Structures are given as structure tokens and as C-alpha cells.
């Protein structure tokens, strides 16, 4: 699967661990985040990942210090459903109930190992079609 990943300076190390994990699982990873520790602004990265995810009907992962700013940016793109998750259950429910297509992570909030686990849950949990009508309404707002 083609997966877009983007991050600000706070998320570089977490991004690298996730990319490594995704490659071992055979995914094609497109890195559109920053790769060094110089301070950058997260809005452009969130927006760019969201645009690519919607255009290509695939998944994205976005990372900033808390995951909050970059998820707000991503959710301004029509068709993007970015879910900020810090633990297993909401990650699974974001897929099952919300058909989230972008996972937002907070590099200063959770450990990198946990982030990798959440990515694994996110990519391996199916949307439950009984929630389809509600999710479609999100596109019309
Ligand atoms: C950058 O210092 C920080 O504000 C950013 O990574 C993020 O946490 C914003 O929501």
C-alpha cells in the first residue's frame, strides 16, 4: 500500500521508526515531512499529506509534538479524516467508526514504540460499513 507520511521537526525520530516499520511490512512510503531538527511550521505538512491521501484514496500518517496542530491542518482538506490517537482503542475505533484515512500522532506525548503499534492497528483495522451514512455526511459539511 502507498502511505504518505509528514511531520514537523518534533516528529523526525518517530517518523523514521515508523517508516522503517512500514518498509518491513512491504508498504511504499512517501515521506513528505522534514528530515532535520530545524524548527518548521506544521500546517503545510498536514495539508500536503491530506491532499495526497484524498487524491490517491490511501492512508497517511502525520506527526508533530502533540499531533494536535498537524491534525487540525489536515482536517481542513475536504475528504480528509485525520484522527489524533494516543492509545490502542481510539486508534481502532477511528478506523471502525470514522473510516479515518490519516493517523495523527504526538511525538512528545507517546513513545516511538507505541506509535509503531498504533500505526499497525490503524492499517489493519477495517471500517464498519454500518457507520457509512454518518461518515458520508462529513464530506458534505
Ligand atoms: C512545535 O514546537 C509544536 O508546537 C508542534 O510540533 C505541535 O505540537 C503543535 O501542535
Amino acid at each position: 500500500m502507498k502511505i504518505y507520511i509528514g511531520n514537523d521537526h518534533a516528529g523526525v525520530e518517530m517518523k523514521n521508526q515508523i517508516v522503517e516499520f512500514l518498509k518491513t511490512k512491504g508498504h511504499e512510503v512517501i515521506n513528505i515531512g522534514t528530515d532535520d531538527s530545524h524548527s518548521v511550521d506544521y500546517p503545510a505538512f498536514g495539508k500536503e499529506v491530506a491532499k495526497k491521501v484524498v487524491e490517491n484514496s490511501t492512508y497517511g500518517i502525520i506527526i508533530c509534538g502533540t499531533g494536535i496542530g498537524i491534525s487540525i491542518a489536515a482536517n481542513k482538506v475536504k475528504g480528509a479524516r485525520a484522527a489524533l490517537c494516543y492509545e490502542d482503542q481510539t486508534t481502532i475505533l477511528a478506523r471502525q467508526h470514522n473510516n479515518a484515512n490519516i493517523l495523527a500522532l504526538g511525538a512528545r506525548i507517546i513513545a516511538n514504540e507505541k506509535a509503531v503499534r498504533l500505526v499497525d492497528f490503524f492499517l489493519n483495522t477495517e471500517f464498519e460499513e454500518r457507520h457509512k451514512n454518518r461518515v458520508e455526511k462529513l464530506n458534505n459539511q
Side-chain angles (χ1 to χ4, degrees):
M1 184 187 296
K2 186 183 268 196
I3 297 168
Y4 290 88
I5 189 161
N7 58 285
D8 73 0
H9 53 286
V12 176
E13 277 183 35
M14 180 177 279
K15 188 260 301 287
N16 290 339
Q17 286 206 19
I18 291 170
V19 168
E20 209 173 294
F21 168 76
L22 291 173
K23 286 186 175 166
T24 66
K25 296 287 178 187
H27 295 293
E28 179 190 355
V29 187
I30 295 115
N31 172 21
I32 49 181
T34 188
D35 286 313
D36 65 50
S37 57
H38 288 106
S39 184
V40 290
D41 296 333
Y42 54 79
F45 297 102
K47 183 178 175 187
E48 191 56 25
V49 169
K51 279 170 62 183
K52 294 290 185 191
V53 164
V54 173
E55 276 167 24
N56 293 279
S57 300
T58 186
Y59 292 126
I61 296 160
I62 51 177
I63 310 162
C64 69
T66 59
I68 296 171
I70 203 161
S71 62
I72 292 171
N75 278 322
K76 289 184 178 291
V77 174
K78 192 173 171 65
R81 292 180 299 280
L84 171 58
C85 300
Y86 294 147
E87 44 72 56
D88 300 354
Q89 194 183 5
T90 45
T91 304
I92 291 165
L93 288 170
R95 287 287 313 126
Q96 288 178 337
H97 288 199
N98 310 108
N99 202 12
N101 49 12
I102 300 171
L103 175 63
L105 298 166
R108 292 175 179 155
I109 307 296
I110 64 169
N112 293 342
E113 296 67 28
K114 186 174 193 179
V116 168
R117 188 173 82 234
L118 299 188
V119 167
D120 201 19
F121 277 130
F122 189 78
L123 297 177
N124 289 294
T125 304
E126 292 297 318
F127 176 52
E128 293 175 354
E129 288 291 318
R130 66 195 172 93
H131 296 285
K132 195 165 179 249
N133 287 348
R134 294 167 187 149
V135 172
E136 277 175 359
K137 285 180 180 175
L138 293 171
N139 279 333
N140 303 321
Q141 285 183 328

